[in-house]
Amino acid sequence: TVWENTTDCVIKAFYQVAAGKVKAAAEHMERRAKGGMTPEDAWNETSIELVAASTAHCRAFIVEKFIETVSKTDVSRPLQAVLCQMAELYAVYWLLNNKGDFLMFSNLSPADVDGLQLWLEQLLTKLRPNAVGIVDSFDIHDDILASPLGAWDGRVYERLFEESQKSPLNKEPVNKSFHEYMKPFLRSNL
Amino acid sequence: VNEDLVKERQNCSFNTLELTHLLDGGEAKTLERKEREEYFLSDPAFKDEVPMEYLSHQEQYEHSVRKACHMFRKLQEMPHGSMDNFRQLLGGMLGSAILKDGNPLALHYVMFLPTLAGQGTVEQQAYWISRAWNLEIVGTYAQTELGHGTFIRGLETTATYDPSTQEFVLNSPTLTAYKWWPGGLGHTANYAVVVAQLYTQGKCHGIHPFIVQLRDEETHMPMPGIIIGEIGAKLGMNTTNNGYLGFKQVRIPRENMLMKNNKVLEDGTYVKSPSDKLTYGTMMFVRVVICQDMASYLSKAVTIATRYSAVRHQSEMKPGAPEPQVLDYRTQQYKLLPSIASVFAMKFSANWIWEMYNVVNSELDQGDLERLPELHAVSCCLKALCTSDAASAVEIVRLACGGHGYMKSSNLPSTYGLVTAACTYEGENTVLLLQTARYLMKTWQQARSGQTLTPSVAYLNLYSDWRQPR
């Protein structure tokens, strides 16, 4: 049960966490019921842990399906590599975000956390050069993005300025509120 | 094209078109999608002279109705109409490009028509679906009330059968019984499927669907006894025309109860259906669609933020060196790349559950109900996680764009509005997670007693006695 930075080990750990949380919630609910609570009250009292168990179950499911789908997808080697990196990043990101759970319920030990952090950073480094390529692959039409920040041509500042010109306030150099409110106000304070 | 983006594209290690085809489901699907986008997006009728955010609430609604009518007219004129086109226009990215802040006619297609098809008898379908499909009437689906949402057994609206006139009498006994939230209900729809507690022969038989006329078909004035309007401005989706609806002893013919499953006979006798699996199927379908939509909206948000992060230069990483692309900062990568990965995670999980749904559905046809609870449990938690992850990720990537991400024109605020709404509709997330938890608790007991478990929970058998080595 030594921790390894592999997808098999990670998937197993996600399921260990899910099982651990399901078990903890079930035991705590049982204890409450044995202590004299009605099943409904025991359920309500345990509901924070129940939601956490459910979330852990689903996260394990998503991680497994992501890794499984990527490994079975028939694509070129360069794309396969990127997809694998994405799946690993997803798994390691959520693992590190919930490392307390993994330290409690899986065979991850505190000494393994540094290695996981390094793995995450290495994945970010590997994926960095392909970040624009990956989002380009989503192939989203500029009219659908509808954002000066995200247009294909990257004319961010020009487009932001063009958008600002659509503000109705910019249709005239002086707004009537100046004459109606500000001018009298300013004079009254002179 | 910005030179940084040119360099980024030159340095990409894989063929982006290959990934596009993979995500679309093949080259032919990509072409089909692009044709569809061109067909709609090139139409000048969809262009806004003034951005919608500068219009009043009322003007925004009026523009949206105009665009929605034009959109569906075009859809009906399309040479190769398909369900995929509907999906893209109703919930997908294409629809949100045309109607950024919600479609007032969406519920007509998303809920009204499918409910007529799923819960109406053959005769009811023949009459109502043809009227709805030909746009003689516009409908919505009124279930949620001011005082009750996800817990539908708690709904208060009553439909009491009067055998002397063979009519149902609909009534809102309290203010909290008013229908609240249905899209298009405010000023758009003239009919609704209304979900109400059915009373006949002095007994309550639980919630059932009824077709109710809300407005006159010519004048659009509210019908007698119908109290109707729009609920007001919201965080997002402000052109969906979400409405309220109260009933003051509104009479409808007996034939207006959708009776494919359960029936009320002329004398008031209630006849219960042996199976309600069709209702279950619709629910599953909607949840898969929500997960796919979350992947789409998030893909839009990460595209905006990633391209911007490649173009934007900021600060000094090394003294005297030029300002680097913000994409080179580790913290920026940490915001963007896991969010990009989430798009794939959601997409692949949704595909998987859709396949599982089809398998379970074919098992159901043979009377095998064994995997139904498992499917229900997975779909509940998946909807909850996809929507909450998408909402968090859209906010993270908005922050990754600094002040410019706060601009409405960045399209990130309205994307957040669309995504965060999904955390609540079609089953509030915490309630859905507790539904999955209920299944997990039952399964846990089975695991403890050594029973064989279905695939998605088989791990409970493996790890039920597992302890961390100390």
Side-chain angles (χ1 to χ4, degrees), chain A residues 3-178:
Chain A
W3 181 267
E4 289 168 4
N5 279 354
T6 61
T7 49
D8 282 350
C9 183
V10 166
I11 292 172
K12 189 176 157 191
F14 270 94
Y15 277 121
Q16 285 169 341
V17 167
K21 291 196 151 224
V22 168
K23 184 180 182 179
E27 286 177 355
H28 295 161
M29 198 159 55
E30 255 176 36
R31 196 185 303 158
R32 288 184 167 115
K34 279 182 187 161
M37 267 190 197
T38 64
E40 293 79 10
D41 284 337
W43 176 269
N44 187 37
E45 291 292 315
T46 319
S47 56
I48 297 170
E49 285 180 284
L50 288 166
V51 166
S54 202
T55 304
H57 165 75
C58 195
R59 189 68 69 197
F61 173 86
I62 297 174
V63 166
E64 186 188 28
K65 295 306 160 207
F66 194 172
I67 292 169
E68 198 178 278
T69 306
V70 163
S71 67
K72 286 180 184 167
T73 303
D74 184 21
V75 289
S76 66
R77 288 183 73 172
L79 178 55
Q80 180 79 23
V82 172
L83 291 174
C84 285
Q85 288 159 7
M86 291 295 244
E88 287 175 26
L89 177 64
Y90 183 84
V92 179
Y93 174 84
W94 283 108
L95 197 163
L96 283 169
N97 264 287
N98 297 281
K99 54 181 170 287
D101 291 338
F102 286 82
L103 291 169
M104 270 182 79
F105 297 117
S106 80
N107 57 333
L108 182 77
S109 72
D112 301 318
V113 175
D114 281 354
L116 277 169
Q117 181 66 28
L118 193 63
W119 189 10
L120 176 105
E121 287 159 4
Q122 284 168 345
L123 287 165
L124 294 177
T125 303
K126 283 180 191 168
L127 282 162
R128 156 66 187 89
N130 287 319
V132 170
I134 296 167
V135 298
D136 279 354
S137 305
F138 295 149
D139 194 26
I140 304 174
H141 194 293
D142 270 357
D143 287 351
I144 293 177
L145 287 174
S147 170
L149 307 187
W152 168 266
D153 62 11
R155 289 175 57 247
V156 169
Y157 302 113
E158 295 88 336
R159 285 174 188 273
L160 269 173
F161 189 76
E162 283 161 21
E163 283 299 318
S164 75
Q165 297 312 295
K166 293 177 185 169
S167 167
L169 283 175
N170 292 331
K171 289 245 170 354
E172 49 191 8
V174 178
N175 184 257
K176 64 179 181 186
S177 64
F178 176 78

Side-chain angles (χ1 to χ4, degrees), chain B residues 91-390:
Chain B
M93 284 198 291
L94 181 54
S96 68
I98 296 168
L99 285 155
K100 262 198 217 171
D101 217 17
N103 182 340
L105 285 180
L107 267 273
H108 178 73
Y109 291 95
V110 174
M111 291 300 290
F112 187 63
L113 271 161
T115 307
L116 296 175
Q119 306 212 37
T121 61
V122 176
E123 296 77 26
Q124 286 175 323
Q125 286 182 31
Y127 179 71
W128 291 107
I129 291 182
S130 68
R131 295 204 73 202
W133 191 252
N134 295 329
L135 294 171
E136 291 168 29
I137 59 172
V138 175
T140 183
Y141 182 85
Q143 180 175 293
T144 303
E145 295 173 356
L146 189 51
H148 285 97
T150 302
F151 180 65
I152 53 173
R153 274 180 292 153
L155 297 178
E156 295 177 81
T157 304
T158 55
T160 309
Y161 186 64
D162 177 357
S164 66
T165 58
Q166 294 190 17
E167 288 173 322
F168 289 101
V169 184
L170 275 95
N171 196 37
S172 307
T174 60
L175 180 65
T176 52
Y178 274 41
K179 295 296 174 187
W180 194 270
W181 277 118
L185 177 63
H187 299 83
T188 316
N190 54 9
Y191 279 80
V193 168
V194 173
V195 178
Q197 301 285 356
L198 166 66
Y199 284 85
T200 181
Q201 297 179 334
K203 197 177 162 196
C204 179
H205 294 276
I207 54 166
H208 287 74
F210 302 86
I211 301 173
V212 183
Q213 184 173 359
L214 309 174
R215 292 174 177 273
D216 183 272
E217 288 185 29
E218 280 304 313
T219 64
H220 210 54
M221 284 295 286
M223 298 298 283
I226 296 284
I227 306 143
I228 197 166
E230 196 221 21
I231 62 170
K234 297 151 295 191
L235 187 150
M237 302 187 80
N238 276 301
T239 55
T240 343
N241 194 222
N242 300 87
Y244 65 81
L245 169 64
F247 301 99
K248 281 209 183 326
Q249 311 296 336
V250 174
R251 287 183 168 265
I252 58 167
R254 185 183 69 92
E255 294 76 24
N256 280 24
M257 174 177 156
L258 290 172
M259 296 204 207
K260 183 170 186 175
N261 298 320
N262 307 310
K263 293 179 178 58
V264 172
L265 305 181
E266 288 180 4
D267 67 351
T269 306
Y270 178 74
V271 183
K272 193 168 168 47
S273 146
S275 164
D276 57 356
K277 73 175 189 196
L278 276 171
T279 322
Y280 197 85
T282 312
M283 202 163 65
M284 296 298 306
F285 175 75
V286 170
R287 287 186 188 148
V288 173
V289 164
I290 290 174
C291 291
Q292 288 168 341
D293 287 347
M294 292 304 106
S296 295
Y297 290 135
L298 184 53
S299 68
K300 188 158 82 171
V302 296
T303 301
I304 293 167
T306 304
R307 286 186 182 155
Y308 173 68
S309 301
V311 171
R312 177 76 167 185
H313 288 248
Q314 189 145 308
S315 201
E316 246 183 7
M317 213 182 283
K318 291 169 190 159
E323 287 186 296
Q325 291 167 282
V326 291
L327 193 50
D328 284 334
Y329 288 100
R330 184 64 96 205
T331 49
Q332 191 76 356
Q333 294 161 11
Y334 185 65
K335 286 174 190 168
L336 296 175
L337 292 164
S339 301
I340 296 173
S342 286
V343 174
F344 292 90
M346 287 175 199
K347 215 171 167 57
F348 294 152
S349 306
N351 290 349
W352 194 92
I353 197 169
W354 185 240
E355 282 168 24
M356 181 183 175
Y357 167 69
N358 288 321
V359 170
V360 173
N361 222 18
S362 62
E363 288 172 357
L364 281 174
D365 289 339
Q366 290 152 19
D368 182 359
L369 302 168
E370 198 191 338
R371 291 191 69 187
L372 204 58
E374 180 192 18
L375 180 64
H376 175 67
V378 176
S379 75
C380 283
C381 65
L382 203 58
K383 183 266 175 188
L385 248 69
C386 286
T387 53
S388 64
D389 284 358

